[in-house]
Amino acid sequence: MIYTAETRTALARHGRVVAHFGSRAPDALVESILPHVNVIIGQTAMPESRLARAPKLKAIINVKGNWEPNIDYPAAARRRIQVLSAAPAMAPAVAEYCLAQALCLARQFDEGNRLFRDGRESWGIAGNRNAETLFDADVGFVGFGNLGRTLAPLLGPFGCRMRAYDPWVADTALRRAGVEPAPLDDLLANSQFLFLLAGVTTENSGFIDRRRLGLVRPDAVVVLASRAKVIDFEAFLEMAAEGRFRAAVDVFPDEPVPAGSPIRSVPNVRFTAHLAGGVEASYLRMQSMVIADVGRILDGLPPLCLQRADPERAGLMRSR
């Protein structure tokens, strides 16, 4: 999606390009280029033993929006190899998705459309008895990384009171972004709009469990747009089906969801197929970011567009 003729031409200006498609690069191909390679783009496994056999390697670029556990991040840091992710390229589209889903759920546009088509609509205020508004609402972010930092400015014009729970982000950084830090249970219990944007790690899988989901306000709008394994997914769907809160879901514990999965028949949930960030504009943005940073890296300059891995935390990530 990003390795277009333009990309090939741009990368070829820096030297020889070795490309493989259809699967992850075969071991034989990887081993053959290790003595010479300067930049690896993709999800190639790079344990410490391979890093040691790649004396010229300057950067590893993951063109997905996550950190995979197949790289020895501390070893790469010791060797001054940049490990980068294209996650920032996806954030604008995902933030847009979150805003759109929140508005649709709050204003109940799906129900309004259905009632009108059935000839059972109510006009004006009578049709808005259960509608909510994003203006002046209490908004909570669970996770405040690329997605949260991109979504928060979109919510600014609504005059929302924004709070966030993210143990990896300093309170000072949250406040600089216009967001107040909050304990998780308090955030869940007191947010009318909840955006679940946390990545899953070895330490937080399922941390929003049934008890915590029970804290969510009955009038809340909940958008799950990052990783499904941060919640008790079964409990989440059960509560949403019962009308405990309004929910939109773009990610699932296992993807793709089988054709006959009971998930597909759960009522009161707006489902989409992990498409929040996957629009053409995201890949065009990713393409330009990769081209720009590869050029900078090979010129001996630091990358400016892609996200750098924190060597201690990236190895904990289990997002897919």
Side-chain angles (χ1 to χ4, degrees):
M1 288 174 285
I2 70 168
Y3 192 57
T4 62
E6 178 186 359
T7 305
R8 288 194 296 272
T9 299
L11 295 178
R13 294 192 187 105
H14 300 289
R16 177 180 174 227
V17 178
V18 177
H20 175 82
F21 291 97
S23 64
R24 303 206 177 193
D27 288 344
L29 175 61
V30 175
E31 293 297 328
S32 72
I33 65 170
L34 284 179
H36 317 289
V37 68
N38 298 118
V39 178
I40 293 174
I41 303 173
Q43 286 79 48
T44 301
M46 292 298 292
E48 185 172 16
S49 58
R50 273 188 174 171
L51 293 171
R53 297 197 299 277
K56 299 181 180 180
L57 185 60
K58 297 182 178 181
I60 303 168
I61 299 175
N62 185 346
V63 292
K64 292 167 64 178
N66 60 2
W67 303 113
E68 295 211 355
N70 61 353
I71 296 174
D72 190 324
Y73 294 93
R78 288 193 298 271
R79 293 176 176 275
R80 297 186 179 180
I81 297 168
Q82 301 272 4
V83 184
L84 306 166
S85 164
M90 293 290 185
V94 180
E96 179 182 68
Y97 168 94
C98 289
L99 177 58
Q101 289 284 33
L103 290 170
C104 284
L105 288 168
R107 297 296 301 273
Q108 297 189 303
F109 291 149
D110 287 344
E111 182 181 6
N113 177 61
R114 178 177 55 81
L115 291 173
F116 183 86
R117 290 178 180 278
D118 291 344
R120 297 186 295 114
E121 78 278 6
S122 298
W123 293 80
I125 185 65
N128 276 321
R129 296 299 183 190
N130 296 316
E132 305 290 346
T133 178
L134 190 54
F135 277 96
D136 302 318
D138 291 303
V139 171
F141 300 89
V142 179
F144 200 76
N146 290 309
L147 303 184
R149 289 193 300 271
T150 307
L151 176 58
L154 299 185
L155 298 173
F158 292 92
C160 301
R161 295 173 292 278
M162 295 184 288
R163 301 191 303 159
Y165 169 79
D166 192 325
W168 285 9
V169 180
D171 289 356
T172 301
L174 291 175
R175 291 191 175 101
R176 287 177 61 187
V179 176
E180 284 296 314
L184 179 58
D185 285 8
D186 180 58
L187 187 79
L188 295 173
N190 294 294
S191 298
Q192 187 175 5
F193 290 82
L194 273 168
F195 297 99
L196 306 183
L197 307 177
V200 64
T201 73
T202 56
E203 300 173 343
N204 74 354
S205 181
F207 77 103
I208 305 178
D209 55 16
R210 182 178 291 271
R211 180 193 70 80
R212 283 183 163 140
L213 288 169
L215 300 174
V216 176
R217 287 170 49 163
D219 64 341
V221 169
V222 186
V223 180
L224 174 60
S226 182
R227 294 295 182 260
K229 291 186 178 180
V230 300
I231 64 171
D232 181 333
F233 196 72
E234 182 177 348
F236 181 86
L237 293 186
E238 178 186 313
M239 292 181 183
E242 293 171 352
R244 294 279 299 277
F245 46 75
R246 304 174 193 182
V249 172
D250 188 51
V251 290
F252 302 85
D254 298 297
E255 298 179 1
V257 176
S261 170
I263 290 174
R264 297 178 181 275
S265 60
V266 173
N268 299 326
V269 180
R270 302 187 91 233
F271 289 115
T272 48
H274 204 148
L275 51 72
V279 297
E280 185 176 358
S282 296
Y283 294 103
L284 290 173
R285 191 177 299 111
M286 187 184 300
Q287 177 191 48
S288 65
M289 294 168 79
V290 168
I291 290 172
D293 273 355
V294 167
R296 291 184 59 83
I297 290 164
L298 294 178
D299 286 340
L301 300 170
L304 293 179
C305 302
L306 301 169
Q307 181 180 2
R308 301 189 196 199
D310 179 317
E312 300 303 324
R313 294 174 177 170
L316 300 176
M317 299 302 295
R318 291 297 180 268
S319 295
R320 286 290 213 194

